[in-house]
Amino acid sequence: MVGYAFMGAAHSHAWRTAPRFFDLPLAPRMTAIAGRDAERVAAAADKYGWESSETDWRRLVERDDIDLIDVCVPGNLHAEITIAALEAGKHVLCEKPLANSVEEAERMTAAAAAARERGVFAMCGFSYRRTPALSLAKRLVDSGALGPIRHVRAQYLQDWLTDENAPLTWRLDKSKSGSGSLGDIGAHVIDAAQWISGTNLTGVSALLETFVKERPVGGDFVGLGGHGGTDGPKGPVTVDDVAAFTARFEGGAVGVFEATRFALGRKNAMRLELNGTKASLAFDFEDMNALSFYDRADEPNAGFRRIQATEPEHPYTGNWWPVGHGLGYEHGFTHQVVDLVGSIAAGEQPEPSFEDALQVQRVLAAVEASAADESRWTAV
């Protein structure tokens, strides 16, 4: 693994946990973790259960005892690490968004396609796909239960940047992150909307806004944000705080998307609603074990009914706790490992592929282009 912060911790937990709750066809061995600071990465290795640590990611690529590289670093490093790993014959799991530009994502996708011909596979970490309730939503849409899709509403609402003195982190630096709310959290709902509906976005009309133009350079870093000083130096925020756009899907469905880190009171409200000709479904990650479903064949005035997605027949849940004993954020990463390892063992392309992630990258680019051109309609 490359990286040991927020995503590094989540992925480490997943690699430890997956073989203890699921019968995997291959046994993951947590061989080495890499980071630039020798003391901190060694401490992370000890804390998260890695056998060794390195201060240069290139050593992981060179080592003969490593078969897979898990990339959990800022987006500006994804392309170089991923392409080197694939060319060295290593399978790759890369965090989202795939890259910081379409050009980088295209090079990564080409490298993944070439590696696939040699039996080496790459996967992008859109982990929300592995939330049982969202996987159940996908199953319902694929079964035809909703009929043709007419509307898709997708939101990702957080509030960790509402404090104007929250410190400047790498997520607020375009050279490292590629974009702000758009790529950090908007990418998740774009992927989920396309995956669940089974159709891609074809065009967008977008608006981006940065509410706070400067933030303290230092301070107390807590979670994703923290508390910066009020009288120290400040640096520029070079990414969007909010992204909002309308969209069309293949097949004619209309979409409305919003991603913000300024929705005061919303902590991690990743929301999705699909309206079809026969039925509708709705999901909110702040109530992640439930899926709301309405079938027009039911009593017309009954409204949505609540499905508790903890039954043994629901995706993934049969390997965990008794019915009604809910899962959490970390379980999506565990399920991601389960599916990745299963695909590698079967010699099959894991999903989402780099091709899927490239499509998301093209949507991100279209949103940025539209917003920069007075919200002009822009093809994906």
Side-chain angles (χ1 to χ4, degrees), residues 59-306:
R59 285 287 298 120
L60 303 184
V61 174
E62 294 166 357
R63 286 176 58 162
D64 293 332
D65 59 344
I66 292 174
D67 303 300
L68 182 147
I69 306 289
D70 189 348
V71 181
C72 297
V73 291
N76 62 310
L77 301 174
H78 286 187
E80 183 182 10
I81 297 172
T82 294
I83 292 171
L86 290 169
E87 289 179 346
K90 315 291 189 186
H91 305 290
V92 168
L93 171 60
C94 182
E95 256 302 323
K96 47 51 59 189
L98 186 60
N100 280 4
S101 70
V102 170
E103 185 274 332
E104 286 180 343
E106 287 176 339
R107 289 194 289 114
M108 294 167 71
T109 302
R116 186 163 54 231
E117 295 298 316
R118 306 189 304 272
V120 176
F121 298 103
M123 173 178 165
C124 190
F126 285 105
S127 57
Y128 285 108
R129 288 192 181 199
R130 270 74 189 192
T131 304
L134 274 182
S135 291
L136 178 60
K138 170 67 170 172
R139 183 184 293 177
L140 288 167
V141 172
D142 287 350
S143 74
L146 273 70
I149 305 300
R150 297 294 188 232
H151 289 285
V152 177
R153 296 176 195 86
Q155 294 179 309
Y156 204 142
L157 312 177
Q158 297 178 337
D159 72 353
W160 60 272
L161 277 179
T162 52
D163 178 359
E164 295 189 7
N165 285 313
L168 201 62
T169 68
W170 70 265
R171 282 183 167 83
L172 305 179
D173 181 349
K174 188 174 179 63
S175 68
K176 294 182 174 67
S177 62
S179 64
S181 292
L182 174 62
D184 186 28
I185 54 180
H188 273 302
V189 288
I190 292 167
D191 176 72
Q194 294 186 139
W195 173 63
I196 292 175
S197 70
T199 56
N200 288 334
L201 293 171
T202 61
V204 300
S205 173
L207 174 69
L208 300 177
E209 184 58 62
T210 303
F211 296 124
V212 180
K213 313 296 185 183
E214 291 185 328
R215 288 186 179 275
V217 173
D220 297 323
F221 296 89
V222 180
L224 295 173
H227 309 285
T230 58
D231 53 2
K234 292 189 175 184
V237 174
T238 54
V239 299
D240 58 279
D241 285 329
V242 59
F245 62 96
T246 55
R248 286 193 183 276
F249 288 78
E250 297 165 342
V254 173
V256 180
F257 290 76
E258 180 186 14
T260 179
R261 299 182 288 210
F262 274 74
L264 192 61
R266 301 297 180 190
K267 303 305 176 182
N268 201 47
M270 186 272 202
R271 297 170 166 178
L272 198 67
E273 179 171 325
L274 280 74
N275 307 127
T277 58
K278 296 164 58 179
S280 295
L281 58 82
F283 170 81
D284 185 340
F285 192 79
E286 290 188 343
D287 189 15
M288 63 169 289
N289 289 289
L291 181 69
S292 296
F293 184 75
Y294 174 73
D295 190 333
R296 70 184 306 170
D298 295 340
E299 168 60 40
N301 297 322
F304 279 88
R305 60 185 172 90
R306 178 184 174 90

Side-chain angles (χ1 to χ4, degrees), residues 326-339:
L327 302 187
Y329 173 72
E330 73 279 11
H331 290 85
F333 295 95
T334 301
H335 303 154
Q336 180 172 264
V337 165
V338 170
D339 290 344

